[in-house]
Amino acid sequence: MADPARMKPPASTAPEPKPEESEENEVGNKGPTGSEASAESTSQQTVKDDEKSEHAKEATTGEDEEEGTSGLNAPANKKLKVDPEKKKEKKQKVDEDEIQKMQVLVSSFSEEQLNRYEMYRRSAFPKAAIKRLIQSITGTSVSQNVVIAMSGISKVFAGEIVEEALDVCEKWGDTPPLQPKHMREAVRRLKSRDQIPNTKYKRTFFH
Amino acid sequence: MAEEEDDPTFDEEFDDSGNGAEAGHGKRKRLFSKELRCMMYGFGDDQNPYTESVDILEDLVIEFITEMTHKAMSIGRQGRVQVEDIVFLIRKDPRKFARVKDLLTMNEELKRARKAFDEANYGS
């Protein structure tokens, strides 16, 4: 398995990119380099989208609501044709702004920040191990998309725990590295917010 | 005496569980130690996180995957895990939902791009 700490030169990733690795390899390219396939540049764009896609989506949903309320005057059919195109244009523009901002941000990182950002983008769970784990639970085989989805949300889950644990660590006046007590307190907090799935114990209302 | 008979079995238990005080999955081999270390650093921890913390996180992730798999098996098509089931289960959590959507969209794009690339090569 590839060592995430080693940065590959852009050219070597062009011929056979895997979905997860090519996304993470974009860290090495601060801006669009002279890559052969146009797909590379679109994947770069979607990669930058992916970074702050939540904020972009929040922004666009905010705008969508405004459009909806103001569009009651025009005839319904015409409004339906115009709206999706307008929404798409606005969304693309917001994405491009996001990409620009990300590029400016990443170009101003210190070396330590760059290292950490590289680890953040490149680290991933090994697909084979995840597939083996899921198949040992189901007993049947699972498709590749399931493995991709599951490793993706597992990474987000791990991130949520680490972020909460860092909050706890700061609140308690400790310093990183994180200790097990921080992790356990983080889990306790996330559980009270229902962010950790638990089907073992049924919740009783009144005790 | 009875106590002396009990002691050897007691010692055996403590000898076997060499993986520390964590109850439950202490005996399973560690699946994600290397990757989780890099991940914790990326998410904000120290460059060398504690091994105990990495172990706790691994147990949590495996439990998460197990729970999701069991839930997915119980909805939609019974006994199978499909992408739609995962997306349905995750619908309330905005971060995870957005992430899954992005990953699947990107995967489709890359597949299409690779296919177009191969066909272009095949022609020349």
Side-chain angles (χ1 to χ4, degrees), chain B residues 24-86:
Chain B
H25 308 289
K27 287 199 180 146
R28 198 197 292 134
K29 188 182 152 189
R30 292 286 147 190
L31 295 171
F32 307 129
S33 188
K34 267 192 272 183
E35 291 88 6
L36 266 180
R37 263 171 224 280
C38 299
M39 224 179 267
M40 285 178 81
Y41 175 51
F43 283 127
D45 197 2
D46 194 68
Q47 197 154 18
N48 295 321
Y50 286 138
T51 308
E52 294 82 8
S53 307
V54 178
D55 284 349
I56 292 182
L57 195 55
E58 166 161 358
D59 289 338
L60 285 165
V61 167
I62 292 186
E63 190 184 328
F64 175 76
I65 296 179
T66 311
E67 292 280 321
M68 294 296 300
T69 309
H70 279 302
K71 280 191 186 170
M73 283 203 289
S74 67
I75 66 173
R77 218 170 145 199
Q78 305 276 347
R80 297 184 75 105
V81 181
Q82 296 177 306
V83 198
E84 297 84 18
D85 300 336
I86 298 183

Side-chain angles (χ1 to χ4, degrees), chain B residues 97-110:
Chain B
F97 185 70
R99 182 67 180 158
V100 171
K101 285 276 169 187
D102 282 346
L103 281 174
L104 294 175
T105 319
M106 225 183 301
N107 191 34
E108 290 302 311
E109 270 191 50
L110 281 168

Side-chain angles (χ1 to χ4, degrees), chain A residues 16 33 113 121 141 162 169 180 193:
Chain A
E16 289 160 356
T33 56
Q113 288 173 321
R121 293 293 292 268
S141 62
V162 173
C169 179
R193 269 183 257 155

Side-chain angles (χ1 to χ4, degrees), chain A:
Chain A
M1 228 156 294
D3 179 9
R6 208 188 320 138
M7 279 176 64
K8 288 186 204 159
S12 68
T13 64
E16 289 160 356
K18 288 183 194 163
E20 299 308 288
E21 281 176 16
S22 67
E23 172 197 0
E24 264 94 53
N25 284 341
E26 298 308 332
V27 175
N29 313 333
K30 294 233 181 96
T33 56
S35 38
E36 302 95 67
S38 61
E40 284 279 303
S41 52
T42 48
S43 65
Q44 273 189 22
Q45 277 189 350
T46 50
V47 152
K48 300 277 196 302
D49 296 348
D50 170 74
E51 203 56 39
K52 297 282 181 181
S53 60
E54 288 171 49
H55 298 286
K57 282 205 176 100
E58 283 179 55
T60 47
T61 45
E63 288 168 356
D64 288 350
E65 285 177 285
E66 288 181 54
E67 279 188 40
T69 48
S70 64
L72 289 171
N73 302 330
N77 289 348
K78 211 172 189 181
K79 214 48 189 167
L80 282 174
K81 270 192 205 162
V82 172
D83 262 1
E85 291 179 17
K86 258 201 221 166
K87 281 188 217 173
K88 212 179 180 184
E89 277 181 35
K90 262 192 192 167
K91 203 174 190 180
Q92 279 184 348
K93 190 157 184 281
V94 169
D95 286 343
E96 284 173 15
D97 284 342
E98 287 291 336
I99 296 171
Q100 277 238 321
K101 287 187 207 166
M102 277 307 293
Q103 283 183 345
V104 170
L105 180 63
V106 176
S107 59
S108 62
F109 274 170
S110 72
E111 170 144 7
E112 204 237 319
Q113 288 173 321
L114 266 180
N115 272 344
R116 202 184 282 272
Y117 186 60
E118 182 187 351
M119 278 300 123
Y120 165 68
R121 293 293 292 268
R122 283 185 167 220
S123 60
F125 289 115
K127 292 224 180 17
I130 300 271
K131 186 163 190 180
R132 222 180 315 137
L133 179 60
I134 300 181
Q135 284 182 335
S136 75
I137 300 173
T138 65
T140 66
S141 62
V142 291
S143 71
Q144 202 195 30
N145 278 353
V146 169
V147 176
I148 292 177
M150 193 63 89
S151 18
I153 55 180
S154 305
K155 183 173 173 182
V156 176
F157 176 71
E160 285 176 351
I161 297 185
V162 173
E163 285 178 7
E164 188 68 29
L166 284 167
D167 276 345
V168 170
C169 179
E170 196 183 337
K171 191 169 184 196
W172 289 356
D174 296 327
T175 58
L178 292 170
Q179 299 169 38
K181 58 180 180 180
H182 302 136
M183 312 286 290
R184 273 182 233 123
E185 172 66 14
V187 170
R188 195 194 61 84
R189 287 192 192 178
L190 290 177
K191 264 210 172 109
S192 75
R193 269 183 257 155
D194 277 337
Q195 279 189 293
I196 297 194
N198 173 35
T199 50
K200 290 182 200 153
Y201 303 107
K202 287 221 173 105
R203 195 182 10 177
T204 54
F205 284 111
F206 307 108
H207 230 118

